[in-house]
Amino acid sequence: MKISLIDENANRLLQNEVIIKIRNLINAKNLERGDKLPSERIMSEKFGVKRNHIREAIRRLEFYGVLKSMSQSGTILAIGLVGFNGMIDEIISLDAPSFNELVETRISLELKTVGLASQRRTSADLKQIKKALNAFKAKISIGDDYLEEDLLFHLAIAKASKNSTMVSLMLLITPPILATYDRDTVCEGDIAISEIKKHEDIYLAIEAKNPELATKMMSDHFFKLKKHIEN
Amino acid sequence: MKISLIDENANRLLQNEVIIKIRNLINAKNLERGDKLPSERIMSEKFGVKRNHIREAIRRLEFYGVLKSMSQSGTILAIGLVGFNGMIDEIISLDAPSFNELVETRISLELKTVGLASQRRTSADLKQIKKALNAFKAKISIGDDYLEEDLLFHLAIAKASKNSTMVSLMLLITPPILATYDRDTVCEGDIAISEIKKHEDIYLAIEAKNPELATKMMSDHFFKLKKHIEN
DNA sequence: ACTCTTAAATTGGTTAACCAGTTTGGGTAC
DNA sequence: GTACCCAAACTGGTTAACCAATTTAAGAGT
């Protein structure tokens, strides 16, 4: 999507069609930032699609901040024409992200959040991270699937970074990773034990408020994954 | 979101209420990954809200990958109960991101994309970046507002990173930044000229396929902004 | 008993009518 | 000529009826 993960490919193509038509219309009319678009009903009729398709397209463009829908009044262009055209192309060409892309992005994000968390964590944050770490260790020690507990550990760290935007991005990126993850390659007995050690190292670095060390530990933690996606 | 920029705060609170009720229901029934939720109509009646509110809440949770709605069949829990509960708390507590958070995230992202772009850019990518750079320079030389051209330059770089996930994130993050940006503090004559130089340096580093240099140049480019948000 | 068929009930999705604000423009008072 | 007002038209948002696909389970046939 969306940034979205879900294609629901049936709809998506139609929605892109509508977006392109809106783009063409805006360009044809040479609208500028703040100008009003035709009403949903009119576009619906002119484009030959149902109104809710128009609404969906507008919602999507609103999500990316290029349109702004104003209740009982109208929809306006929320950005200049230049930026609008440049963004539209990217929005409609967003395909479903690959596993490697997602992991690459996640690693980049987490190397940042763990550093920030080391600087900004409160004692309450630390407590939460510790709690997540313990749940993770408990799950691993009984040889169970620990993927979600791992996620919550990393999420707790992101939250301690005090940057809610990065938390949002983590929330967006992680689920499709979990969905794709080959669960078999994860839990591997003794290797799982070493995973505990790495998580503890990260925790200790955050506790010690040592951003450089925390970043390095997180990087080590991702080493195997990084190698994996380079194949 | 949302990650979302738009609060439409009226709706948001109700939607969070519904999400919390769905959370409670799932926990009360001890659902596991793959289990079906009650139908939209039943939840609508049980929660005392209209069905479209239920649908909106489900859509949002689907967006974050915790639910999966299956046409004419039902909605299922797409994640384990542990991960579900951990994510819900974050999702409902996502407040509108502050300017500083957004900029901090953007800088982190762009330092990564510019490095990747330096490694992976094709000649076509380079051409696109050059084109965006020229548009930027043209706009600056006539003393006009260049914010959107700047955005497109950075977007072109992100695209050259060959990571569509990062492009998505850029698209999500940048608009609220533009919206908040104090346009007055940007264009300042001779300073604007030095901005051109910095952009050209970034371009040259990407052309030379030198990730380290490109990252440094991008970092320099963001130096002033970085200082600004530290106040 | 067991399997296959089939029709009724249930599902998420779609549609068109409806609603309450907002905008608009012509008419009225001065 | 100008300012004001108010009703008609139009706006995005909401609602409830409708749809087609799926699921369910009862029943017929063997």
Side-chain angles (χ1 to χ4, degrees), chain A residues 40-41 51 55 72:
Chain A
E40 295 177 351
R41 280 170 245 258
R51 182 151 87 105
R55 300 196 95 237
Q72 276 88 17

Side-chain angles (χ1 to χ4, degrees), chain B residues 93-119:
Chain B
S93 73
L94 279 184
D95 41 4
S98 72
F99 180 72
N100 287 359
E101 281 180 9
L102 287 165
V103 168
E104 184 172 81
T105 308
R106 181 185 167 191
I107 292 176
S108 174
L109 259 176
E110 295 231 31
L111 292 184
K112 186 66 186 180
T113 54
V114 77
L116 293 177
S118 301
Q119 296 168 340

Side-chain angles (χ1 to χ4, degrees), chain B residues 73-89:
Chain B
S73 165
T75 302
I76 64 172
L77 185 60
I79 193 178
L81 199 56
V82 178
F84 173 77
N85 281 311
M87 287 184 67
I88 292 288
D89 288 337

Side-chain angles (χ1 to χ4, degrees), chain A:
Chain A
M1 170 232 18
K2 329 110 108 299
I3 212 165
S4 164
L5 14 135
I6 318 110
D7 252 2
E8 287 161 359
N9 227 314
N11 264 3
R12 194 51 176 281
L13 289 175
L14 171 59
Q15 199 176 111
N16 280 348
E17 277 298 320
V18 173
I19 288 180
I20 289 175
K21 282 176 179 171
I22 292 178
R23 195 251 310 261
N24 293 342
L25 182 147
I26 287 179
N27 280 292
K29 292 200 170 191
N30 249 56
L31 299 190
E32 267 309 322
R33 160 189 276 236
D35 288 350
K36 283 215 299 200
L37 275 67
S39 77
E40 295 177 351
R41 280 170 245 258
I42 291 180
M43 286 195 281
S44 160
E45 185 183 355
K46 184 173 292 188
F47 297 164
V49 298
K50 298 297 179 196
R51 182 151 87 105
N52 57 7
H53 295 311
I54 303 285
R55 300 196 95 237
E56 282 301 315
I58 289 178
R59 279 176 65 102
R60 178 130 156 262
L61 294 180
E62 202 175 358
F63 178 76
Y64 285 107
V66 305
L67 295 186
K68 172 78 186 149
S69 196
M70 320 185 57
S71 197
Q72 276 88 17
S73 165
T75 302
I76 64 173
L77 185 59
I79 192 177
L81 200 56
V82 178
F84 173 77
N85 282 312
M87 288 185 67
I88 292 288
D89 288 337
E90 301 304 322
I91 290 173
I92 63 181
S93 73
L94 279 185
D95 40 5
S98 72
F99 180 71
N100 287 359
E101 281 178 9
L102 287 166
V103 169
E104 184 171 82
T105 308
R106 181 186 166 189
I107 292 176
S108 172
L109 259 175
E110 295 231 31
L111 291 184
K112 186 67 186 181
T113 54
V114 77
L116 293 177
S118 301
Q119 296 169 340
R120 301 173 183 170
R121 103 277 188 295
T122 63
S123 53
D125 292 327
L126 200 64
K127 205 170 147 191
Q128 283 296 312
I129 298 173
K130 178 91 176 187
K131 190 174 158 191
L133 175 60
N134 286 336
F136 173 77
K137 284 157 70 174
K139 216 56 178 297
I140 247 185
S141 68
I142 61 176
D144 220 351
D145 182 6
Y146 59 83
L147 266 178
E148 292 182 9
E149 281 75 14
D150 184 44
L151 160 62
L152 293 186
F153 175 73
H154 289 272
L155 213 52
I157 292 174
K159 200 172 182 192
S161 78
K162 298 287 179 291
N163 185 317
S164 72
T165 303
M166 292 194 188
V167 175
S168 300
L169 301 187
M170 287 275 295
L171 284 174
L172 285 179
I173 285 177
T174 320
I177 291 181
L178 285 189
T180 321
Y181 221 97
D182 180 4
R183 288 181 128 78
D184 298 332
T185 69
V186 189
C187 321
E188 293 172 8
D190 44 336
I191 295 186
I193 303 296
S194 79
E195 286 299 304
I196 292 185
K197 175 71 166 57
K198 283 177 184 161
H199 278 72
E200 283 175 335
D201 287 342
I202 294 170
Y203 171 79
L204 291 174
I206 295 174
E207 183 181 39
K209 299 201 173 189
N210 186 335
E212 292 78 16
L213 181 61
T215 306
K216 184 186 178 314
M217 289 297 136
M218 183 65 84
S219 183
D220 287 352
H221 173 44
F222 281 132
F223 182 78
K224 201 177 67 174
L225 194 54
K226 204 181 274 180
K227 279 288 174 207
H228 178 68
I229 67 172
E230 280 169 5
N231 296 348

